[in-house]
Amino acid sequence: MTAYPAWSPASRPGIVPLHPYGFGTILGRSFTALRQNPRVLLGFALAVQAVAYVVLIVASGGIAIASFSRLDTVPAGSDDYDAILAGSIAITAVVTIALSLAAGVLTVLVQGVVVAEVAHSVVAEKPTLRAVWQRVRPVVWRLLGYSALLLVAAIVVVAGAAAIAIGVGVLLLPAGIGVGILLALGGIPLYLWLTTKLFVVPAVIILERAPVFAAIARSWRLTRTRFWPTLGVIVIISLAFSVLAQVISVPLSLVSSAIATIVAPTGDAEVGTLISVVVVQLIGQVGILLVQCIALVVQSTSAALVYVDARMRHEGLDQDLLSYVEARDAGRGELADPYRAGIGRAAPAPRPNPAF
């Protein structure tokens, strides 16, 4: 008698094919990945961003009310009034900036969770938030350190450019204005170039457990032959969500102005302001917050997909992922993380190069 091997079903497809893919796949799957695991991707991002937004508004507003209310205790125009006014502005500004930075920290955590979830989705896994967080937790401080490094670098560059423009402006005001404009225009291509070259740093930190500076160098290498497709993904996603945010905010602003005019035709400032706050600041901000959350998820998803595609081309990651999927679907346990296999090796054969 002839023994035939037992039949086994084909491996489940992930959100991208397990071979090098192109610009269209990265862009398209970045938008459709939300459907694979919306509770972890959009649900977590929306919850975190909403909490950060509410805390920022409530805390900043409370500090502003508490500090500016002291102006009622002194006569306007006095020295004490001016000192209290300056101090209130400074306190409110400092608190708002500090809380904004704290909200930025939460944004980094959202990016980390999205990257880890997409790594599972590539191999057709749908993890829980707890499982995703277990992958992100060991490198949280590295993500925060990378964000802090970017913030410090941005402050140094902006401060340096401002100092140059002001220095020239002291000698000759028109020249200072011209230098400032040129520096601002020159900063746009520099920003796009650096953003593209550093696009996959969070993915490297999370999936390879790399230190911050090693992750920066690795991102620089992985995007070396994929610069223009990566830049295209960044620009298209950013423009798409910027337009969407304007589509939400502009009509609401027009509607609020029209309602204020109808309800308060005599120009009652209190009624008009109240309506504007209710319509624009509440309804409008909820819509914009949702758009920002989706944009953050899509941008982070595209970074993870760019990383996977680059490693498939340069290091044969697709073979490691295929081996992992086949072994998992065959029922084998205790499988090694495929993303940490073959880091930095040369691809065993030339990789296909689809258009873009």
Side-chain angles (χ1 to χ4, degrees):
M1 296 180 65
T2 302
Y4 293 95
W7 176 86
S8 59
S11 298
R12 302 187 304 275
I15 61 172
V16 291
L18 295 183
H19 57 72
Y21 39 84
F23 170 80
T25 300
I26 295 173
L27 187 62
R29 299 301 170 86
S30 296
F31 282 91
T32 60
L34 282 169
R35 295 183 301 177
Q36 302 295 320
N37 201 351
R39 180 177 298 179
V40 172
L41 290 179
L42 184 57
F44 178 74
L46 186 59
V48 170
Q49 293 289 83
V51 170
Y53 182 79
V54 170
V55 171
L56 176 62
I57 295 298
V58 172
S60 299
I63 293 295
I65 293 173
S67 58
F68 282 99
S69 62
R70 296 180 301 167
L71 294 174
D72 296 333
T73 62
V74 295
S78 64
D79 293 339
D80 291 339
Y81 185 92
D82 294 338
I84 292 175
L85 177 61
S88 299
I89 294 174
I91 292 173
T92 303
V94 169
V95 170
T96 302
I97 292 173
L99 292 175
S100 299
L101 293 177
V105 170
L106 295 179
T107 299
V108 173
L109 298 183
V110 172
Q111 291 176 329
V113 167
V114 172
V115 168
E117 199 284 334
V118 171
H120 284 281
S121 297
V122 168
V123 290
E125 294 176 348
K126 192 175 181 179
T128 62
L129 180 59
R130 182 186 297 273
V132 171
W133 180 249
Q134 289 177 350
R135 184 189 284 267
V136 177
R137 185 176 58 184
V139 294
V140 164
W141 289 109
R142 294 178 185 177
L143 289 172
L144 298 180
Y146 173 65
S147 298
L149 181 63
L150 289 183
L151 178 61
V152 171
I155 292 174
V156 170
V157 171
V158 172
I164 293 173
I166 292 173
V168 175
V170 170
L171 300 176
L172 184 61
L173 182 59
I177 296 174
V179 169
I181 294 174
L182 290 176
L183 289 175
L185 294 177
I188 295 175
L190 176 63
Y191 170 79
L192 292 175
W193 179 63
L194 289 176
T195 299
T196 303
K197 297 300 292 183
L198 302 177
F199 192 51
V200 300
V201 169
V204 173
I205 292 175
I206 294 167
L207 301 181
E208 299 181 12
R209 307 288 177 88
V212 173
F213 290 102
I216 292 174
R218 182 120 166 88
S219 176
W220 211 272
R221 292 192 298 269
L222 287 175
T223 56
R224 183 175 300 162
T225 60
R226 306 296 298 158
F227 179 85
W228 293 110
T230 303
L231 176 60
V233 168
I234 295 171
V235 172
I236 290 176
I237 291 176
S238 299
L239 289 177
F241 284 102
S242 297
V243 171
L244 183 58
Q246 293 300 316
V247 168
I248 294 175
S249 62
V250 171
L252 284 175
S253 299
L254 296 176
V255 169
S256 66
S257 300
I259 293 176
T261 302
I262 294 172
V263 175
T266 59
D268 189 334
E270 293 184 359
V271 175
T273 301
L274 179 60
I275 293 173
S276 177
V277 169
V278 171
V279 175
V280 179
Q281 298 301 323
L282 294 181
I283 300 176
Q285 289 302 316
V286 168
I288 292 174
L289 179 63
L290 179 60
V291 170
Q292 291 174 344
C293 290
I294 297 175
L296 177 60
V297 171
V298 172
Q299 192 89 3
S300 302
T301 300
S302 65
L305 296 182
V306 168
Y307 165 83
V308 171
D309 175 62
R311 283 199 61 190
M312 285 180 178
R313 294 172 185 273
H314 297 302
E315 301 174 358
L317 176 63
D318 48 338
Q319 303 303 315
D320 296 318
L321 296 178
L322 284 169
S323 298
Y324 172 84
V325 170
E326 291 172 356
R328 180 200 63 201
D329 292 351
R332 300 179 190 174
E334 300 297 329
L335 297 176
D337 186 352
Y339 292 98
R340 303 187 68 184
I343 295 174
R345 74 184 174 198
R351 316 309 300 156
N353 188 23
F356 269 115

